[in-house]
Amino acid sequence: MNPSHQHEPPHLPNRTLPLRDASIDPAYIQNNGAIDSNQQPPVYPTHLLRTQNTETSEASSNASTPTRDSEGEFHVVEPNDWRNSQALPSLGGLSMHDKVKKSPPINKLPPELLIAVFTKLSSPADLLSCLQVSRTWAGHSVALLWHRPICNDTSSMCSVAHTLSAEHTYFHYGNLVKRLNLATQPMAKDINDGTLMSMASCKKIERLTLTGCSKLTDTSIMYLLEGNENLLALDVTNVPEITDDSLLKAAEHCKRLQGLNVTGDTNITDVSIQQIAQNCHLLKRLKLNECSKITDVSVMKLAQHCRHILEIDLYKCANIKDVSVSTLLKRGKHLRELRLSFCKLVTDEAFLSLRNDRTFETLRILDLTACENLTDAAVRQITEMAPRLRNLVLAKCARITDAAVTAIARLGKNLHYVHLGHCNQISDQSIKHLIKTCNRIRYIDLACCHKLTDDSIKLLATLPKLRRIGLVKCVQVTDESIFALAKGPPRGGGRYPIGPNSLERVHLSYCERLTVGGIQALLMSCQRLTHLSLTGVNDFLREDFTKFCRQPPQEFTQHQQDMFCVFSGNGVIQLRHHLQTLDHRVLHNFPPAHHPHPHPNPNGVQIFGGNAGNGAAAVPLPPPPPPSLNNPNAFAAAHANITQVDDEDLDEGVGEASDLG
């Protein structure tokens, strides 16, 4: 935007900004059309232009269409939030409604529309041009630049801190900051109380993220929270020095709080959480992971006062018992996500004590990992009372049997994610029933279910939307199952059974009966595959294969590192290419007399790694034959026009099995 296009030059207040305001060297933009090198430097603080291009458009969103924070911050602003984060109450005496004689029509635009236009600008340099047009445009431009100041390195963080602590600045920058994120690693570990206290002028923050700022204490956090009545989300994950004092200060001043994350803060007790519950009635999302001092008292208080709660995570809160879980379910009419991982005191009574005529239509995610006392009776009650569950995690619930899996099958098409790892009493019978009734499963983990055989795994391969599968230590699985996964689900009514395979992550560690031939078929047909774990599979513990693996974790023992074999990202692509270049007879240990390539037999099947007479697995081919699975380019081209899996298939915020085998 060129200032000369306006009828009059911008009218600026008498105050001017010193050239080196707040001890920051202004970096003027050269050769970009915004400022000519011969021009007099503008009176505006040009260090604002350190904001990255992409942050300009992300920093402000249309107030009518709130979205989840792109940085992964904890809170989501709801449509009914009554304050607009882009509103400019006062900018150093500038009035947003100042009228200029003979003002052009564009000055008559409502502020909301003008801000929406500015958010579409591609670079901060464009905002600088707008900033020089008029007082109104200057106010909106600066507001966008400072909505979420970038603190992604020490230099930018110091620049922001110095400016915010300066006394004589053209704008009141502290009032413009709505989101303050100091969680960028590795800078976060160097932020101390002095750094945070220099930002105390920010009294209109809506989202404050201090994840991993391990040097911070209650002193600076309390100082910043005081008077911040607009705060909606507070994330102090892994700030070990924080205590109840900081949360008590938040409860006193931040009564509009909707999201709180204190993961790993082991000094937090019932004292502060109870006060949060009593004062912050709008609380919707709460993470108390590893807060080992939290008891039923806090959870029951939250259930009593925070009626709008949507998500609560109590991972490793070892003192949580049945009574608080039951109370939370009874009172949480809007509860959508409940995580009770490693709450080992939770038993069947937490669910059996609920009324049979009560249903929880909003509950979508339930994580009961390592709740060792749960039995089939609890699972049956859960599936009856929460018929719309999408994600159910029962990993390490060792008392679960086929009866529980049969009950889970009642969820039908609503079930997208199911984790039954280490439920070693499960057999093929219940898994077959689950697959037939829940045909929209995207992710299934059956690690250490050693009773499962190829019969059930081959049926799993027919799931049309399966993206991720975990079969770690399913010792009876053979290449027959892998060929079925490579073949994929039937397409087009079964006429052309081989189609674009949707598999993205496959965990096969310690399935010792697998061979290179089966894995090659999987790689060639699953072009979307981004992760493949084969730890402990002897045929892949070869130097020409392991060179494509990622590095094992340092905490592994020497034996574990020797057995480690996990391919991710580019490693999968390199392994696929390597298998294509190997001599086929060497790859599959063919006798010299055998044909070195896959070949059809009279029964209309294609052989991978041998022939049907030698007991090798076979994949049926329909007429006309599809492109060879050994040619990924031809395979991809053949299915380029087939519609991919729709966006609704994405799992909602649920983690997956460990990639460490």
Side-chain angles (χ1 to χ4, degrees):
M1 183 69 66
N2 193 334
S4 62
H5 291 173
Q6 298 296 321
H7 293 286
E8 293 186 1
H11 296 272
L12 301 175
N14 294 329
R15 292 183 298 147
T16 58
L17 181 71
L19 185 59
R20 296 184 180 272
D21 177 43
S23 302
I24 302 174
D25 294 333
Y28 299 110
I29 298 180
Q30 303 287 341
N31 303 323
N32 59 6
I35 300 178
D36 187 80
S37 59
N38 296 321
Q39 274 186 313
Q40 182 70 18
V43 297
Y44 299 96
T46 52
H47 60 270
L48 296 178
L49 300 178
R50 296 183 181 184
T51 305
Q52 293 178 357
N53 297 353
T54 56
E55 291 296 322
T56 303
S57 59
E58 294 179 1
S60 63
S61 57
N62 193 335
S64 62
T65 56
T67 57
R68 184 174 292 271
D69 192 327
S70 61
E71 294 178 341
E73 294 176 320
F74 186 63
H75 170 70
V76 178
V77 178
E78 297 297 328
N80 61 353
D81 285 343
W82 62 278
R83 296 190 184 184
N84 186 348
S85 64
Q86 297 295 348
L88 283 170
S90 175
L91 294 173
L94 290 179
S95 171
M96 295 301 100
H97 302 285
D98 285 351
K99 295 183 179 180
V100 181
K101 294 181 179 180
K102 299 180 182 180
S103 62
I106 194 170
N107 281 354
K108 298 179 181 180
L109 280 177
E112 294 82 2
L113 293 181
L114 197 57
I115 292 173
V117 172
F118 286 172
T119 59
K120 304 299 182 182
L121 298 178
S122 59
S123 72
D126 294 331
L127 279 175
L128 176 65
S129 297
C130 295
L131 187 145
Q132 300 176 79
V133 171
S134 67
R135 301 184 193 183
T136 302
W137 285 36
H140 292 321
S141 300
V142 173
L144 290 177
L145 287 168
W146 276 87
H147 180 267
R148 179 170 51 193
I150 301 304
C151 301
N152 52 10
D153 55 48
T154 303
S155 175
S156 60
M157 187 269 295
C158 290
S159 175
V160 169
H162 279 295
T163 303
L164 290 173
S165 60
E167 295 183 359
H168 303 291
T169 57
Y170 192 79
F171 295 102
H172 193 305
Y173 300 112
N175 285 345
L176 303 181
V177 177
K178 307 299 181 183
R179 302 181 186 180
L180 186 58
N181 188 342
L182 304 180
T184 304
Q185 297 295 340
M187 182 197 67
K189 68 178 184 297
D190 296 325
I191 293 176
N192 54 34
D193 286 342
T195 306
L196 196 60
M197 292 180 74
S198 67
M199 303 179 181
S201 62
C202 303
K203 294 302 181 184
K204 296 185 181 297
I205 300 176
E206 295 177 356
R207 307 185 191 183
L208 177 60
T209 304
L210 302 174
T211 303
C213 299
S214 55
K215 293 183 179 181
L216 292 180
T217 67
D218 288 329
T219 303
S220 59
I221 295 176
M222 292 171 63
Y223 192 63
L224 184 60
L225 291 177
E226 187 170 359
N228 252 304
E229 299 178 355
N230 295 328
L231 191 66
L232 300 176
L234 174 62
D235 190 341
V236 286
T237 298
N238 295 325
V239 183
E241 299 299 322
I242 193 175
T243 68
D244 286 334
D245 292 340
S246 291
L247 294 193
L248 290 173
K249 183 65 71 172
E252 178 184 356
H253 293 274
C254 312
K255 296 184 179 181
R256 297 183 64 225
L257 195 67
Q258 297 182 22
L260 177 62
N261 189 346
V262 292
T263 296
D265 301 335
T266 55
N267 294 321
I268 302 299
T269 70
D270 289 333
V271 174
S272 58
I273 299 301
Q274 288 186 79
Q275 200 63 35
I276 288 284
Q278 290 177 354
N279 291 4
C280 306
H281 295 170
L282 299 178
L283 196 65
K284 296 180 180 180
R285 295 171 175 85
L286 179 64
K287 288 183 178 289
L288 299 172
N289 301 2
E290 300 178 358
C291 295
S292 55
K293 296 180 181 179
I294 299 299
T295 68
D296 290 335
V297 177
S298 291
V299 178
M300 295 179 71
K301 211 72 171 179
L302 288 164
Q304 179 183 354
H305 295 285
C306 303
R307 298 300 185 88
H308 301 285
I309 197 161
L310 300 176
E311 303 170 8
I312 184 168
D313 194 338
L314 300 170
Y315 170 73
K316 283 191 175 181
C317 292
N319 296 316
I320 300 301
K321 301 177 183 177
D322 295 334
V323 61
S324 59
V325 176
S326 299
T327 304
L328 193 61
L329 288 169
K330 289 176 183 177
R331 293 179 176 269
K333 296 181 180 180
H334 306 285
L335 190 63
R336 190 169 62 192
E337 179 177 333
L338 176 60
R339 298 182 183 273
L340 300 168
S341 303
F342 292 90
C343 295
K344 297 186 178 182
L345 298 180
V346 175
T347 68
D348 289 351
E349 190 61 25
F351 305 98
L352 297 179
S353 61
L354 301 173
R355 288 167 39 190
N356 291 330
D357 60 342
R358 173 76 186 276
T359 58
F360 304 95
E361 294 289 340
T362 60
L363 191 61
R364 295 291 185 274
I365 298 173
L366 181 60
D367 188 347
L368 299 170
T369 299
C371 293
E372 301 169 345
N373 295 315
L374 293 181
T375 67
D376 296 339
V379 177
R380 190 180 301 111
Q381 181 79 343
I382 289 168
T383 56
E384 289 177 356
M385 301 182 66
R388 301 187 66 184
L389 269 177
R390 293 185 62 180
N391 301 50
L392 180 59
V393 183
L394 295 169
K396 299 183 180 180
C397 295
R399 301 176 67 181
I400 297 299
T401 69
D402 283 340
V405 180
T406 302
I408 294 171
R410 287 189 298 213
L411 297 174
K413 66 179 183 179
N414 292 319
L415 187 65
H416 291 181
Y417 179 110
V418 59
H419 198 318
L420 299 170
H422 295 267
C423 298
N424 51 25
Q425 299 187 55
I426 294 174
S427 67
D428 285 339
Q429 181 180 359
S430 61
I431 296 299
K432 289 179 180 179
H433 180 63
L434 179 71
I435 297 166
K436 290 177 181 178
T437 56
C438 304
N439 60 358
R440 299 189 70 185
I441 292 177
R442 279 77 163 163
Y443 178 99
I444 185 167
D445 196 309
L446 301 168
C448 300
C449 296
H450 56 80
K451 291 185 179 181
L452 299 183
T453 68
D454 290 332
D455 290 343
S456 57
I457 307 304
K458 287 190 294 184
L459 197 58
L460 271 174
T462 64
L463 289 171
K465 299 187 177 184
L466 187 64
R467 291 186 175 187
R468 306 173 186 180
I469 183 171
L471 299 172
V472 174
K473 292 187 179 179
C474 291
V475 293
Q476 298 192 57
V477 171
T478 69
D479 280 349
E480 191 173 351
S481 294
I482 307 306
F483 289 132
L485 290 172
K487 172 185 173 182
R491 301 277 177 168
R495 182 180 179 185
Y496 299 99
I498 296 183
N501 202 307
S502 61
L503 277 175
E504 296 174 359
R505 300 176 71 90
V506 180
H507 303 263
L508 299 170
S509 296
Y510 299 101
C511 295
E512 299 178 350
R513 301 176 67 180
L514 302 183
T515 67
V516 176
I519 300 302
Q520 185 200 27
L522 185 69
L523 286 168
M524 299 308 169
S525 63
C526 301
Q527 296 297 311
R528 300 177 185 174
L529 200 66
T530 60
H531 180 93
L532 177 63
S533 63
L534 295 168
T535 298
V537 179
N538 292 329
D539 280 15
F540 278 83
L541 300 181
R542 295 167 29 177
E543 185 176 353
D544 60 325
F545 291 157
T546 56
K547 66 182 180 181
F548 304 121
C549 294
R550 70 186 195 194
Q551 292 298 315
Q554 295 181 355
E555 62 269 19
F556 275 21
T557 64
Q558 186 59 48
H559 174 71
Q560 289 174 322
Q561 293 186 18
D562 292 340
M563 300 293 287
F564 187 82
C565 187
V566 175
F567 305 91
S568 293
N570 195 48
V572 175
I573 299 174
Q574 292 175 333
L575 178 63
R576 180 186 291 118
H577 178 72
H578 179 65
L579 290 175
Q580 286 179 285
T581 58
L582 290 180
D583 183 273
H584 207 275
R585 289 173 296 179
V586 175
L587 184 64
H588 299 292
N589 296 319
F590 282 168
H594 286 166
H595 196 280
H597 302 290
H599 54 279
N601 67 12
N603 296 324
V605 298
Q606 184 170 346
I607 307 301
F608 294 90
N611 56 44
N614 292 334
V619 179
L621 290 180
S628 170
L629 294 181
N630 284 326
N631 187 346
N633 295 327
F635 183 85
H639 303 289
N641 296 324
I642 298 180
T643 303
Q644 296 186 358
V645 183
D646 53 347
D647 291 338
E648 71 171 3
D649 297 341
L650 293 173
D651 294 325
E652 293 185 353
V654 178
E656 58 193 37
S658 170
D659 297 337
L660 304 181

